[in-house]
Amino acid sequence: MHKLLLSASVAVLALAGAANAQNWAAPSGASATAAGGSDELLTLQKDPKQWVMPTGDYANQRHSALKQITVENVGKLAPAWQFSTGVLRGHEGAPLVVGDVMYLHTPFPNIVYALDLKDPDHKIIWKYEPKQDPSVVPVMCCDTVNRGLAYGDGKIFLAQADTTLVALDAKTGKLVWSVKNGDPAKGQTSTAAPHVFKDKVFVGIAGGEFGVRGHITAYDVKTGQQVWRGYSMGPDADTLIEPGKTTHLGKPVEKDSGITTWEGDQWQIGGGTTWGWYSYDPELNLVYYGSGNPSTWNPKQRPGDNRWSMTIWARDLDTGKVKWLYQMTPHDEWDYDGINEMILADQPIGGKTVKTLVHFDRNGFAYTLDRTNGDLLVAEKYDPAVNWATKVDMDKASKTYGRPLVVDKYSTEHNGEDVNTQYVCPAALGSKDEQPASYDTATGLFLVPTNHVCMDYEPFRVSYTAGQPYVGATLEMFPAGKDKGETHTGNFIAWDAKTGKIVWSNKEQFSAWGGATSTDGGVTFYGTLEGYLKAVDTKTGKELYKYKTPSGIIGNVTVYESGGKEYVAVLSGVGGWAGIGLAAGLSKSNEGLGAVGNYASLANYTALGGVLTVFALPN
């Protein structure tokens, strides 16, 4: 999960679309909140002029219905204006656009800016700069990133690094309410964007590398009062699993499954943190998200399936009760967090339209499920290099149905402690990390930024101390095709989730760490680690445009309209796990959990800097 291993020694570890209305039309009667009021966001997300959610819409489709910028004219795109955030380190996430105001965020110290889009100079309307204890920084894994803001009920929501969730008046920036969601002294931090669904704001927690027990929490948008909290493991009273009612692969879940699959009290420091993205189906009233790695990274120390780490969750929005779940990587041995976004799309499968959930997991498999009941429809490798498992067992009559069939050669459990298991693909950062994919209804394609990286992984015994790193593995990463003389570590692909096949694939010199956004103009945008904003033909993958921004891009693309003109905005600011060598000044190849060596040449192409660049067609 979130991770930054500043030293690979055993002794030293310092963690130094607005949605197209065609894509996501609200079902009849779905616009009423639990309290009977209007769901403002359900209306706003259909307006392609705005970008009112971290992922564009409730469905996480990251698609814009704007189409001024097309396959034919995108080559004429040029920077229209820029804004410096005044902060270094990794700039993940993306700006929001609500009405005529852009809301911008930074990594720690988590500054928020409101910029006037009507003003030709894009005047700063207000600025919020929280005063946080800098002692939170050493317990932030994989850089000091923050993945964005949320909007709802006239407020801007920010999950600060120190786990404080704040609600700011969208017009003035004044603090309306705040609540503490965790305790950094215990290794708990926040890096994820909050998400507002109806009358609730949802936040997760980070810190799986510190033995933090993951949870997702719903707060009332008006008051900040906690409505419910669901843990990733523990007794049913904590997980909100209903034994006999909640299902896993179609079968009822047994009582206290979040305890019985752990040895002793290990579940109390079990990981399964929730620092990714969340989605919501208003018709089903279900919230979807993923949980991360079990703690520790040494699988020998935690026998059992370690439920419910590495799991896709479907919870009732109003109560938090779990309708269904699916554990993708039972008893994880490689840190293949399951936190990546859940994209909701209605797709034709088997002659009928199915309400699907599509998920590109860190473990290298792309999953298509029926989001109404958790039925597993497709599970296929989306990077041909994946070797740790031969396949996911799709035979419902099999005892291993739904489980990956692990290859002993690449099993850190099988090979044991203090043994260096070599050439495992993908690396711990996965075939895709948190960088979100996009879904284009017109083509039926998912546009996915990916990593093409493998690793050597050596687990070792580690003891737990609250607030101290609890990892227990050393890693070294390298390009997936190293044995064939290949050096590229990324691909940008188009995926057919109905069949589980790659439609087209473009090589990237470095991992594609910037989130994708597709448009009705037939163009998909994404950013690269060396700093390019790129535009490709959604149907064919043909590269149509690229522009080198001031720093590497690990942020996601926002598309909006202002004054009748379409704009494309992206944050640049190299960092995150892939760019941690630059962000934190690390140089040894096995630092940053092996990422430093794998991305060492990145320093030849870019440098630190937090800048928003906004593009448009010339007048």
Side-chain angles (χ1 to χ4, degrees), residues 120-460:
D121 297 319
H122 307 101
K123 177 183 176 182
I124 299 172
I125 301 171
W126 55 258
K127 174 184 177 182
Y128 171 78
E129 185 168 4
K131 303 303 178 187
Q132 300 183 70
D133 188 335
S135 66
V136 70
V137 172
V139 293
M140 293 191 75
C141 184
C142 314
D143 205 7
T144 59
V145 298
N146 182 286
R147 296 188 181 90
L149 308 166
Y151 169 81
D153 191 44
K155 304 178 184 72
I156 295 295
F157 298 94
L158 164 71
Q160 297 174 183
D162 65 4
T163 79
T164 304
L165 175 68
V166 298
L168 309 173
D169 185 291
K171 292 182 179 179
T172 65
K174 291 183 178 179
L175 183 67
V176 179
W177 57 257
S178 70
V179 63
K180 205 67 181 292
N181 191 55
D183 183 0
K186 297 178 181 177
Q188 298 171 342
T189 56
S190 288
T191 55
H195 288 60
V196 175
F197 303 138
K198 292 206 305 189
D199 56 349
K200 298 175 182 66
V201 54
F202 291 81
V203 291
I205 200 76
E209 282 58 59
F210 291 82
V212 170
R213 181 165 65 124
H215 52 71
I216 187 171
T217 309
Y219 294 97
D220 184 284
V221 293
K222 292 188 179 298
T223 65
Q225 181 178 357
Q226 182 175 313
V227 181
W228 57 259
R229 170 171 287 175
Y231 283 88
S232 299
M233 59 275 300
D236 296 331
D238 287 2
T239 61
L240 306 184
I241 288 171
E242 297 183 283
K245 291 184 178 180
T246 300
T247 60
H248 178 251
L249 290 171
K251 294 183 179 180
V253 175
E254 67 277 10
K255 178 176 168 51
D256 287 333
S257 55
I259 292 179
T260 57
T261 55
W262 293 82
E263 187 174 70
D265 292 336
Q266 286 183 332
W267 59 269
Q268 296 182 5
I269 51 172
T273 50
T274 50
W275 51 275
W277 310 93
Y278 323 127
S279 53
Y280 171 57
D281 185 329
E283 186 177 64
L284 300 172
N285 204 39
L286 293 177
V287 175
Y288 305 92
Y289 69 99
S291 54
N293 61 283
S295 302
T296 162
W297 287 22
N298 178 0
K300 285 291 186 184
Q301 288 188 244
R302 43 172 175 79
D305 275 0
N306 308 139
R307 292 180 171 176
W308 292 96
S309 64
M310 307 309 213
T311 295
I312 297 174
W313 298 75
R315 291 187 184 270
D316 181 273
L317 176 134
D318 296 311
T319 65
K321 290 181 179 179
V322 184
K323 180 174 176 60
W324 61 261
L325 28 67
Y326 168 52
Q327 188 178 37
M328 297 166 289
T329 313
H331 187 65
D332 169 72
E333 308 169 37
W334 312 268
D335 185 46
Y336 292 153
D337 282 31
I339 60 86
N340 292 350
E341 72 284 356
M342 311 296 162
I343 305 173
L344 313 183
D346 298 346
Q347 300 185 85
I349 297 178
K352 63 178 183 178
T353 299
V354 179
K355 291 171 73 72
T356 67
L357 175 154
V358 177
H359 170 75
F360 298 91
D361 198 60
R362 284 256 289 269
N363 70 16
F365 287 89
Y367 298 87
T368 304
L369 297 95
D370 183 325
R371 69 178 182 268
T372 67
N373 58 17
D375 188 23
L376 182 61
L377 306 174
V378 179
E380 296 289 346
K381 299 175 182 180
Y382 62 99
D383 183 346
V386 174
N387 65 13
W388 69 277
T390 55
K391 65 177 182 177
V392 172
D393 188 350
M394 299 296 287
D395 180 2
K396 289 188 176 181
S398 170
K399 290 182 179 179
T400 55
Y401 171 57
R403 298 176 73 99
L405 302 183
V406 178
V407 178
D408 284 350
K409 179 180 178 181
Y410 304 113
S411 166
T412 67
E413 166 77 31
H414 178 267
N415 296 333
E417 292 177 343
D418 304 318
V419 174
N420 191 21
T421 298
Q422 297 182 306
Y423 226 110
V424 182
C425 306
L429 46 67
S431 294
K432 188 178 86 63
D433 204 298
E434 59 75 36
Q435 62 269 40
S438 174
Y439 175 63
D440 177 67
T441 301
T443 59
L445 296 177
F446 291 79
L447 297 313
V448 193
T450 74
N451 312 312
H452 190 58
V453 182
C454 301
M455 68 177 172
D456 297 340
Y457 188 115
E458 182 175 341
F460 58 84

Side-chain angles (χ1 to χ4, degrees), residues 7-31:
S7 169
S9 73
V10 175
V12 182
L13 174 64
L15 299 183
N20 180 347
Q22 296 172 339
N23 292 355
W24 186 244
S28 174
S31 61

Side-chain angles (χ1 to χ4, degrees), residues 67-71 73-74 77 519 521 523 525 566-568 617:
K67 51 189 176 184
Q68 283 184 12
I69 299 170
T70 66
V71 171
N73 64 23
V74 68
L77 214 60
T519 72
V523 179
F525 297 97
E566 180 178 348
Y567 292 90
V568 178
L617 294 172

